[in-house]
Amino acid sequence: MAHPAYEVLRRVTPLASVLLAHNPSPMTLEGTNTWVLRAPGEERCIVVDPGEDDEEHLARVAEQGPVELVILTHHHHDHAGGARRFAELTGAPVRALDPTLVLGSEALAHGDVVAAAGVELRILATPGHTADSISLVLDGPGDPGPAVLTGDTILGRGTTVIAEPDGSLGPYLDSLRLLRELADGTDVLPGHGPELADAPAAARTYLAHREERLQQVRTALETLGPDATPRQVVEIVYADVDTVLWPAADSSVKAQLDYLRGGR
């Protein structure tokens, strides 16, 4: 099956399948990955990130049910915008770290273990992209190895924006260090882009990239002066990046400047 295959359920592991929403953009890559989780032989499922308020996509996801539970990796519209409508379609409760996103259940917390549809999900708070970002370590019968759903903390391709207003680089680096400690060979099931084979390796690559960018920002400040604006730094550090991505780069550079100036 060619990728991207929009709105076609694609099995990735014995416990996890993905429906790719048709919302491609420079920020969402091919589109948002909506994950459908269930143990072999189970009728009911867990849906992670139902996506935008797109009736066609939500209906296609609902067809994979009965849906026992919905979990949101974070509040961004391309992941959570359709959650309320999806709950109406399926009757399933919605859980997230942010209590304002919860419907018919309770908020999640770091270390929680959620059991449904024959699988278990261990909740990891992985703030940085947003303050409410979580990752989900997936385990269940019939799966030869672990997997982690990372939302936008680790993507299948490229790097993650530290998103305003609540993204922060210090917590993001801590989150990458946490994911680096997962078992070698843990599959990455990301919010955008293709799956990856090894979460610790991906986290190490992300950490190295962030350190390289921080050094580039330090070097730019030597030329621009300590009070340089994010856009001035972007014009130097991201000179080789398509300018359509510069607004997102502004957000990341602001986070890098806050970090270097003593913030988190």
Side-chain angles (χ1 to χ4, degrees), residues 78-160:
D78 57 312
H79 295 257
R84 183 172 294 277
R85 174 58 179 153
F86 190 69
E88 293 173 354
L89 289 172
T90 63
V94 177
R95 301 190 70 183
L97 194 72
D98 182 348
T100 67
L101 301 176
V102 172
L103 297 170
S105 187
E106 58 186 4
L108 296 167
H110 179 77
D112 283 352
V113 175
V114 176
V119 304
E120 286 190 349
L121 293 167
R122 178 162 56 93
I123 308 303
L124 302 179
T126 48
H129 172 66
T130 63
D132 69 327
S133 289
I134 58 174
S135 297
L136 314 171
V137 179
L138 172 64
D139 192 20
D143 201 339
V148 59
L149 293 90
T150 55
D152 284 358
T153 299
I154 293 179
L155 303 178
R157 187 179 68 256
T159 57
T160 296

Side-chain angles (χ1 to χ4, degrees), residues 241-258:
V241 174
D242 191 328
T243 56
V244 73
L245 296 175
W246 277 14
D250 284 337
S251 179
S252 284
V253 167
K254 181 180 182 301
Q256 290 163 340
L257 291 173
D258 289 345

Side-chain angles (χ1 to χ4, degrees), residues 46-59:
I46 301 170
V47 169
V48 178
D49 291 345
E52 298 181 358
D53 192 6
D54 176 334
E55 197 72 18
E56 180 181 355
H57 178 67
L58 297 178

Side-chain angles (χ1 to χ4, degrees), residues 3 15 106 120 157 189 201 212-213 221 223 226 247 254 257:
H3 187 72
L15 305 179
E106 58 186 4
E120 286 190 349
R157 187 179 68 256
L189 310 180
E212 179 182 2
R213 282 297 194 204
L221 292 177
T223 300
K254 181 180 182 301
L257 291 173

Side-chain angles (χ1 to χ4, degrees), residues 38 95 104 125 165 224:
R38 55 163 58 94
R95 301 190 70 183
L224 297 168

Side-chain angles (χ1 to χ4, degrees), residues 7-11 17-20 34-38 42-47 56-68 86 90 117:
E7 308 300 354
V8 177
L9 190 70
R10 179 171 64 90
R11 176 69 62 86
S17 300
V18 64
L19 270 168
L20 178 61
T34 293
W35 290 96
V36 179
L37 313 177
R38 55 163 58 94
E42 285 283 337
E43 181 182 10
R44 301 180 70 82
C45 68
I46 301 170
V47 169
E56 180 181 355
H57 178 67
L58 297 178
R60 186 74 181 95
V61 178
E63 290 174 3
Q64 312 309 317
V67 179
E68 187 171 355
F86 190 69
T90 63

